[in-house]
DNA sequence: TTTTGTATTGAATAATCATTCAATATGGCT
DNA sequence: AGCCATATTGAATGATTATTCAATACAAAA
């Protein structure tokens, strides 16, 4: 009766978060948003890319909204992990950490055009979906305060006193957001090399004796 | 036959850009995007807010897409004008101009939460709609080059040589974009005063003797 | 007043989608 | 093998929405 044979069931797992299909759908969602935009992302397209039926995608995530939210959560966690790894590395001193953070923020894994497109899509809806805001805002607060603490350590080791740790940290984080957005417009001009160079020059100007910022 | 009387016709104008209804629809579009987001903005809602019929909105702008594009163009022009006014003011010296630009970028007319929401909505679609990209990119190129030229003049009058005009200009423009986005998340924390202070402190640190950056 | 051309309406159309659910397949259990 | 519980399907449903267009109102001209 059926033309297309059904998928062979994957081994069942109690934690749905670890199900293959769960992750396949999230990956497909991110790819679809990156390729077509949030506005033109439909369950049908995502399901097709994940190679499951449309009905299944909805069944698994209860709703499209929930699928989108899960995808945002996934991206957010990925970023958090890469950041956390830098802070747990005991071989790094404060300046080394700052440099690693810059490298990470403009690495091809984090700052590629597809992922930025997804981030910006969600950002743009933040004002209208409290659930998006919660994730994005909480994320931001963590990075702000951790970065500020880190800069405080750097300041302590240098003779920089004009700019407060808060000011440096807020400036850096804003710059990153702004540069990410520009990567979307013009990825050639705003290459990773260019962006990293710009940010490092900012730090170099503050900590004029710290040769590592170059 | 008709319950609702039709609107009384406005005096006809040859240039459709000056028609009252034309502008009413654009204003209504911006308000609707600001309130509900680009994704949930429908012609029906816009038409209702502009107090014309749904059919008319479509007739006037040919398509929804065209209405959105016209609204983006309007915002873009508004920004361009405010920027241009600063450059045409002959009473200002280079530093004075930079300060005016900062004031303008975080004025309540330009950097209010509604308009930022609209900007970010369009930004997020830039990768998928070449027509949006054209407007946003062209705008950005103008500000980049004009700002760079301006900073070159400031550098010339000071002993700052470490950072190039290009670097300062790119850093400033990225910061503004980043801060605008943050205003959406948390307008209390990222108040206009805070944002202006942060940016001025950036310049103060570069041009350490220029007391006006404070 | 009547005519005429333009402005505006609002209801109908057709397309797109999220969501639902009855039907079916699958793999483990007895 | 036959049964059961779960996984997955795909077609149907209903809601939303851009777009179209014939009908109508209006203002100015004749």
């Amino acid at each position: 009766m059926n033309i297309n044979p059904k998928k062979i069931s994957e081994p069942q797992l109690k934690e749905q978060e670890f199900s293959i299909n769960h992750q396949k759908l999230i990956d497909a969602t991110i790819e679809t948003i990156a390729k077509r935009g949030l506005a033109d992302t439909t369950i049908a397209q995502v399901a097709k890319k994940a190679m499951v039926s449309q009905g299944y995608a909805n069944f698994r995530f209860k709703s499209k909204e929930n699928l989108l939210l899960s995808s945002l959560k996934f991206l957010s966690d990925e970023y958090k992990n890469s950041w956390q790894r830098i802070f747990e590395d005991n071989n790094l001193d404060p300046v080394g950490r700052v440099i690693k953070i810059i490298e990470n923020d403009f690495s091809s894994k984090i700052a590629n055009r597809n992922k930025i497109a997804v981030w910006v899509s969600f950002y743009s809806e933040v004002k209208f979906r409290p659930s998006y805001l919660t994730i994005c805002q909480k994320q931001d607060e963590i990075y702000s305060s951790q970065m500020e603490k880190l800069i405080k350590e750097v300041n302590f080791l240098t003779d920089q006193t004009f700019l407060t740790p808060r000011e440096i940290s807020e400036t850096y984080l804003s710059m990153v957001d702004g540069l990410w957005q520009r990567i979307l417009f013009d990825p050639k001009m705003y290459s990773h090399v260019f962006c990293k160079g710009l940010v490092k020059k900012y730090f170099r100007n503050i900590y004029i004796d710290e040769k590592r910022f170059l």
Side-chain angles (χ1 to χ4, degrees), chain A:
Chain A
M1 195 65 69
N2 274 327
I3 311 280
N4 298 332
K6 303 229 168 141
K7 284 186 54 63
I8 293 167
S9 297
E10 301 293 339
Q12 299 168 31
L13 295 165
K14 277 170 192 161
E15 302 292 322
Q16 75 160 6
E17 284 75 20
F18 295 131
S19 146
I20 305 271
N21 279 340
H22 186 94
Q23 189 57 43
K24 269 206 301 192
L25 278 164
I26 285 179
D27 290 344
T29 303
I30 290 171
E31 279 177 55
T32 305
I33 295 174
K35 194 198 274 181
R36 320 176 71 98
L38 191 53
D40 287 347
T41 292
T42 67
I43 295 249
Q45 285 159 358
V46 171
K48 190 179 173 192
K49 188 169 293 241
M51 291 188 296
V52 300
S53 72
Q54 180 173 351
Y56 182 70
N58 229 280
F59 166 79
R60 204 48 142 81
F61 283 88
K62 265 180 39 205
S63 71
K64 182 190 182 186
E65 186 60 21
N66 192 248
L67 172 58
L68 294 177
L69 199 60
S70 301
S71 305
L72 174 58
K73 193 85 178 20
F74 174 76
L75 269 192
S76 171
D77 285 344
E78 183 189 51
Y79 186 71
K80 184 160 62 187
N81 291 339
S82 71
W83 180 280
Q84 223 55 43
R85 222 169 293 129
I86 295 169
F87 274 87
E88 285 163 3
D89 185 343
N90 290 321
N91 296 326
L92 294 172
D93 71 328
V95 171
R97 279 210 173 85
V98 172
I99 287 172
K100 281 279 185 196
I101 285 172
I102 297 170
E103 304 278 357
N104 182 58
D105 278 342
F106 297 101
S107 67
S108 52
K109 187 188 167 200
I110 295 289
N112 67 68
R113 205 150 172 256
N114 278 359
K115 284 190 184 160
I116 293 175
V118 177
W119 275 120
V120 175
S121 294
F122 281 113
Y123 279 167
S124 73
E125 291 283 305
V126 141
K127 186 167 178 253
F128 319 106
R129 326 246 162 170
S131 50
Y132 298 178
L133 180 61
T134 308
I135 293 180
C136 292
Q137 204 172 21
K138 194 176 292 172
Q139 172 169 295
D140 223 60
E141 281 166 12
I142 293 171
Y143 302 135
S144 283
S145 72
Q146 262 186 310
M147 190 72 185
E148 188 181 341
K149 231 182 280 177
L150 179 57
I151 299 290
K152 205 173 288 182
E153 294 173 34
V154 179
N155 269 6
F156 185 73
L157 299 170
T158 64
D159 56 357
Q160 200 291 124
T161 57
F162 184 70
L163 296 169
T164 66
R166 173 98 199 281
E167 284 164 348
I168 296 173
S169 140
E170 291 292 342
T171 301
Y172 171 69
L173 293 172
S174 299
M175 253 180 98
V176 171
D177 279 352
L179 286 170
W180 278 15
Q181 209 164 86
R182 276 138 196 279
I183 290 175
L184 269 195
F185 288 180
D186 193 339
K188 293 244 169 61
M189 159 136 26
Y190 295 92
S191 69
H192 291 164
V193 173
F194 174 82
C195 293
K196 275 188 266 192
L198 195 66
V199 174
K200 285 184 183 174
K201 199 77 184 281
Y202 168 72
F203 281 105
R204 185 78 198 282
N205 189 52
I206 299 174
Y207 305 109
I208 205 82
D209 294 325
E210 181 51 75
K211 302 280 186 271
R212 279 182 285 171
F213 287 122
L214 206 81

